[in-house]
Amino acid sequence: MRIAVLASGGGSNLGALFTHFDEPRAAAVGRLVCVGSDKADSGALARARDRGVSTLVITDHQDGVALRSRFHEHGVDLVVLAGYLKLLPAEIVSAWPGRVLNVHPALLPAFGGAGMYGSRVHTAVIASGARVSGATVHFVNAHFDRGAIAAQWPVPVYPRDTPSDLAARVLQVEHRLLPLVAEAVAGGSLSLGADGRVHGHMGLMPAQPVPPSVRFCLTDNDLAPRDPVAPDTGNADAVARAAFAYDVARLYPR
């Protein structure tokens, strides 16, 4: 599938998508062909230009006809919102039914809706006394953060957390979860059915089973693989990504 990404900020989730779809397995099912932003000076557009990917500045975020036309020019099959803060026009949602994804920095349906983005979300989570937050990837409909949930992953909320502390912890999970869901939808293993429910599976089980002792674990300071049998090695990040993909795939059969 040809993928368009929309982002309003620095584009760290976009960077994670670029990295993920550079991998052969993901590249076989999807390619980022267009990046758009409602801010002409956004870091996301700069990242796309560095990659040689077409960019577009959305001067009127409510003009769905114009945006739909630009997407058609690029032959877009799948739209991914990666930190895009505007409500997507109905023309886009209707033109790509079940083919629009969004990532939200909390466990929906809690802490979602109009105006709930960025530090506002994390401030609200901490103020609520919640001990767990996380990231949600969902299919987009006509309302903020109400579409069918494709996958979620939790992170702890510690008593001493500031909004920026929690944001950093959640963002690391976003960087892992969003690309995996985008790959599953692009590859056709996960889809939004006519009944409004998510069907299929993540399609991400590794060729070689990951040892049960290796898990994508959450600590006070980082998200890192922890194996009580074997010490961390130079490819610790690859191990962590594989373990995370394995656990997500086990958690989200449909």
Side-chain angles (χ1 to χ4, degrees):
M1 284 190 177
R2 296 171 63 84
I3 303 170
V5 180
L6 299 183
S8 293
S12 68
N13 269 311
L14 170 64
L17 286 163
F18 273 130
T19 299
H20 186 78
F21 280 92
D22 281 343
E23 298 176 2
R25 183 190 65 201
V29 298
R31 179 165 65 94
L32 277 63
V33 298
C34 177
V35 174
S37 178
D38 56 311
K39 298 179 180 179
D41 59 350
S42 73
L45 294 183
R47 288 176 185 262
R49 294 186 187 108
D50 288 344
R51 284 276 189 149
V53 173
S54 295
T55 62
L56 62 95
V57 177
I58 302 169
T59 55
D60 181 358
H61 71 273
Q62 296 180 319
D63 189 351
V65 174
L67 184 57
R68 182 179 61 194
S69 177
R70 295 297 302 275
F71 283 171
H72 281 316
E73 290 174 8
H74 291 283
V76 169
D77 302 302
L78 174 65
V79 180
V80 179
L81 310 185
Y84 186 64
L85 303 183
K86 304 296 184 181
L87 184 65
L88 206 61
E91 291 87 352
I92 303 301
V93 177
S94 61
W96 283 270
R99 295 290 177 84
V100 185
L101 295 170
N102 179 53
V103 62
H104 184 75
L107 297 178
L108 294 175
F111 306 107
M116 291 298 288
Y117 59 86
S119 64
R120 297 183 182 185
V121 174
H122 306 299
T123 298
V125 169
I126 292 171
S128 76
R131 307 325 297 154
V132 177
S133 188
T136 301
V137 179
H138 66 94
F139 289 91
V140 173
N141 61 16
H143 306 283
F144 276 117
D145 304 326
R146 292 192 197 170
I149 293 171
Q152 296 179 302
W153 202 260
V155 303
V157 182
Y158 297 112
R160 64 181 179 276
D161 272 346
T162 66
S164 61
D165 293 333
L166 182 55
R169 194 175 304 119
V170 171
L171 187 61
Q172 291 185 66
V173 171
E174 292 180 46
H175 289 172
R176 298 280 173 87
L177 191 62
L178 179 61
L180 293 178
V181 177
E183 179 190 341
V185 174
S189 65
L190 197 71
S191 63
L192 181 64
D195 59 358
R197 299 176 66 87
V198 178
H199 297 276
H201 57 89
M202 295 297 291
L204 299 167
M205 302 298 280
Q208 298 297 323
V210 177
S213 60
V214 177
R215 284 293 176 265
F216 188 76
C217 298
L218 299 161
T219 71
D220 283 25
N221 301 314
D222 64 356
L223 299 174
R226 293 290 181 264
D227 188 340
V229 176
D232 292 345
T233 63
N235 66 343
D237 184 64
V239 172
R241 287 188 287 110
F244 183 66
Y246 180 78
D247 282 348
V248 169
R250 285 174 26 134
L251 187 63
Y252 288 101
R254 299 286 178 176

